[in-house]
Amino acid sequence: MTQAALSALILAATLILFASERVRHDLVALLALLACLVTGLVSPEQAFRGFSDPAVLAVAGVLVVGRAIEVSGLASSVARLIAERIPGFVPRLVALLAVAALLSAFMNNIAALVITMPVAAAIARDAHLPPGATLMPLAFATILGGMTTLIGTPANLILSSIRDDQLGAPLGFFAMSPVGTAVALAGLAYLALLGWRFLPHRRNSEDRTRPLWYVFEMEAARSGASASDRRAMLRAAGARLLANFRGAQRIDPDTPGERGDRLLVLARTDPWALAGATDLAHTARGAAGSAIARVVVAHGSPLIDRGYDEVRTRSAEAVEVLAAGPRASRARRPLVQMRIHAGDQLFLHGEPEALASLISASRLLEVNRLDRPPVNRLRAAIVAAIFAGAIAAIVFFSLSPALAFVGAAVLLASLRLLPAEDVYRSIDWSVLVLLAAMIPVGQSFDESGAAAIAAQWLGSSLAGAPLFIVLAALCTATMLLSIFLNNIATAIVMGPLAIEAARLLDVNPNAALLAVLIGASSDFLTPIGHQNNLLVMGPGGYRFTDYARVGAPLVLIVILVAAAVLSAQFGSG
């Protein structure tokens, strides 16, 4: 078997594993790297060069700096002004989507969603609409904003690294801004004026988007009651018994109950109200009457893989998990044994100020409240100045993004502008491993000749076609691949292929590379295409097909606008 065929086979198997979602993406990348190493496609010296690639270091630095901006409260304060100063649903939605896109151009897409999601929910509420009317457009806006700058998404940095490797120079910080901005403006106009109207306002949308079902534990105050007695008592109070526990062990339904048994309950009322309607005692530590906030745990939250008690620890006992969401009802385990996962819904209980502070610091998406986290203006101004300085060093002094943002991250940590525990927690290590492992795999695909063969097939298919059609085809092919893969893997596969195809078709390679850049971030057709799409699915009450309903016209707009702008920018060459 030739090296090209072997490389193509390994890459195909890797893409299948990525698309299956059965194995973690970072582990798939490491397995692909190991396969390339064993087959000789990658030498031992080359195997770990991805970990020192400037793109990987730049992503790490950008994540740290973006997290500092997020916790400073500066961006959230700007976003909240929209909810107060602009009248009318559509004008407020336009302004919010523009702010979300602008934020995601310079920071992590998830962070931009975390900051703006409470505002989006409030705008919908004020217009007497379910939160679902604004949340999907908001998620799409944060994806569109990532197309406009070099640091908008890790895939942009990867394509810059590919250009540096193959053409001798990386992409400039604003090299993608003309096409990215045009695409983002067209997309935002569609989302604000038409897109949100395509979302079905279901009769039960309030139940779907703001579910009042709590999953929490109650304590039996007396002995002797059977499981059927407890079920009947709870049913009369409008609740449902999910499981009985004695200590950490689940009790058989026929076992007579004892005082102190724990009952896992599904109810539409809070624990205090249920305790008043039954002879059960609630286990919440706080007093009734404090605020209850429903939140969704975002990817990158420091609470992930921790127990529910971590909420009390991080808030200095000021906030507790009052109840859990749907996953806890399916698991039917004692809440003390549950670990927090990305996408979990939690009901937090505490004083408003403590809740606002914890939500801001722990990357939680808040749906039902709109509190102001405390903002230290001097601290926020210094963070913004360091961030702006890093961008200026890249644009005006040609400093590499890796040096600029790693340097900014070091400065933020040195000045204690970001809590020490957040410096490493802000980095998504699985993304870095995925990047570092896939870079040598992608290079082996190129160096083995497999990319050249694929490019020849693509070139023969598009030979003689106008530049507009060539660029639209590249953007479409990349977008279709990104439905099944994350945009990092898509960029690694399509970047070298696009450059080679551009050479065969006598097309400016920058135009081809930017078409791939736009296509790699056009994840609008499914909830699994981008983490932000998945995060708003539960709070928005969306079904799988709702994404295609709103996203299909957006994809068409993105492809047509990108191809038109790039054709005008790069002419026929």
Side-chain angles (χ1 to χ4, degrees):
M1 185 179 293
T2 64
Q3 282 197 324
L6 192 59
S7 177
L9 183 63
I10 291 173
L11 187 61
T14 302
L15 299 185
I16 290 171
L17 282 175
F18 274 137
S20 72
E21 299 284 342
R22 293 179 180 274
V23 184
R24 286 172 53 108
H25 285 179
D26 50 345
L27 180 55
V28 171
L30 289 171
L31 289 171
L33 178 59
L34 180 61
C36 289
L37 186 62
V38 170
T39 56
L41 291 171
V42 172
S43 68
E45 293 77 19
Q46 297 172 321
F48 296 107
R49 66 185 177 186
F51 287 91
S52 61
D53 191 283
V56 176
L57 298 176
V59 169
V62 168
L63 290 174
V64 173
V65 176
R67 179 62 175 159
I69 295 173
E70 181 184 348
V71 300
S72 73
L74 177 63
S76 60
S77 296
V78 173
R80 279 175 169 81
L81 287 176
I82 297 168
E84 300 171 354
R85 302 287 177 87
I86 300 177
F89 174 74
V90 171
R92 294 173 82 187
L93 182 60
V94 169
L96 177 65
L97 297 186
V99 169
L102 182 63
L103 289 175
S104 66
F106 297 100
M107 64 193 304
N108 182 276
N109 296 157
I110 296 173
L113 180 65
V114 169
I115 289 167
T116 53
M117 189 170 170
V119 184
I123 289 174
R125 256 195 323 274
D126 290 347
H128 305 291
L129 293 169
T134 57
L135 294 186
M136 187 186 295
L138 178 66
F140 286 174
T142 60
I143 297 171
L144 287 167
M147 303 176 182
T148 58
T149 69
L150 182 64
I151 62 171
T153 177
N156 298 358
L157 288 162
I158 284 294
L159 291 170
S160 177
S161 180
I162 290 171
R163 189 187 188 283
D164 190 21
D165 184 57
Q166 298 211 8
L167 301 179
L171 290 169
F173 191 87
F174 294 112
M176 63 292 301
S177 295
V179 62
T181 302
V183 166
L185 289 175
L188 295 181
Y190 157 74
L191 290 170
L193 300 177
L194 292 175
W196 70 272
R197 302 177 192 273
F198 294 156
L199 288 166
H201 294 171
R202 302 183 179 93
R203 275 186 161 185
N204 62 339
S205 59
E206 278 299 311
D207 292 338
R208 290 173 57 83
T209 57
R210 287 166 62 188
L212 300 178
W213 286 106
Y214 300 86
V215 178
F216 51 84
E217 291 182 358
M218 301 291 285
E219 187 172 290
R222 62 183 178 85
S223 302
S226 66
S228 59
D229 292 338
R230 289 172 174 171
R231 284 194 178 91
M233 176 180 60
L234 288 169
R235 192 179 302 114
R240 176 184 170 193
L241 178 64
L242 297 176
N244 284 285
F245 301 100
R246 187 165 297 156
Q249 299 299 317
R250 188 166 179 170
I251 306 172
D252 186 272
D254 297 328
T255 304
E258 293 183 2
R259 183 175 182 176
D261 286 351
R262 292 290 184 109
L263 284 68
L264 188 66
V265 173
L266 181 69
R268 286 187 179 275
T269 56
D270 62 48
W272 296 279
L274 189 61
T278 65
D279 65 356
L280 301 174
H282 66 78
T283 59
R285 298 187 184 183
S290 296
I292 298 174
R294 175 182 167 230
V295 301
V296 179
V297 181
H299 292 266
S301 169
L303 297 177
I304 291 174
D305 292 330
R306 305 296 183 96
Y308 290 168
D309 282 349
E310 180 69 13
V311 169
R312 281 205 306 271
T313 301
R314 288 183 65 85
S315 64
E317 305 292 326
V319 180
E320 65 176 330
V321 176
L322 178 70
R327 192 171 68 85
S329 67
R330 294 191 296 270
R332 302 198 178 196
R333 295 162 52 193
L335 295 185
V336 72
Q337 296 179 5
M338 296 289 292
R339 290 292 177 267
I340 297 172
H341 293 177
D344 277 358
Q345 296 182 35
L346 300 175
F347 294 88
L348 304 183
H349 177 251
E351 294 301 320
E353 296 79 8
L355 280 169
S357 179
L358 176 75
I359 288 168
S360 174
S362 300
R363 190 166 282 183
L364 301 174
L365 301 172
E366 187 177 9
V367 181
N368 290 343
R369 294 167 60 251
L370 186 62
D371 286 334
R372 293 180 179 274
V375 179
N376 183 316
R377 293 186 179 183
L378 177 60
R379 193 183 191 92
I382 296 173
V383 170
I386 292 173
F387 178 60
I391 295 176
I394 297 169
V395 175
F396 299 111
F397 300 99
S398 301
L399 195 66
S400 75
L403 286 175
F405 283 103
V406 170
V410 171
L411 187 57
L412 288 168
S414 300
L415 296 175
R416 298 184 179 179
L417 294 170
L418 185 65
E421 65 272 14
D422 272 0
V423 173
Y424 287 103
R425 286 176 179 171
S426 60
I427 299 174
D428 190 335
W429 295 101
S430 65
V431 170
L432 294 194
V433 171
L434 170 64
L435 278 170
M438 282 301 294
I439 286 172
V441 174
Q443 289 173 343
S444 72
F445 181 69
D446 181 40
E447 293 167 1
S448 69
I453 295 172
Q456 286 174 358
W457 174 83
L458 185 62
S460 63
S461 302
L462 296 173
L467 179 61
F468 177 89
I469 298 298
V470 171
L471 296 175
L474 281 172
C475 188
T476 301
T478 307
M479 181 272 297
L480 291 174
L481 191 60
S482 72
I483 292 175
F484 305 101
L485 307 180
N486 60 71
N487 61 356
I488 294 170
T490 300
I492 289 172
V493 172
M494 289 298 298
L497 193 152
I499 292 174
E500 185 64 28
R503 287 172 179 158
L504 293 173
L505 294 168
D506 194 26
V507 170
N508 190 310
N510 291 316
L513 204 59
L514 291 176
V516 167
L517 184 147
I518 298 298
S521 292
S522 300
D523 306 323
F524 306 117
L525 295 177
T526 70
I528 60 174
H530 192 281
Q531 290 172 329
N532 283 9
N533 292 351
L534 195 59
L535 285 173
V536 299
M537 189 175 185
Y542 302 126
R543 297 171 182 166
F544 197 96
T545 54
D546 292 338
Y547 288 83
R549 184 198 301 260
V550 179
L554 180 57
V555 164
L556 185 61
I557 290 170
V558 166
I559 292 171
L560 294 178
V561 171
V565 171
L566 291 173
S567 298
Q569 183 178 358
F570 292 97
S572 61

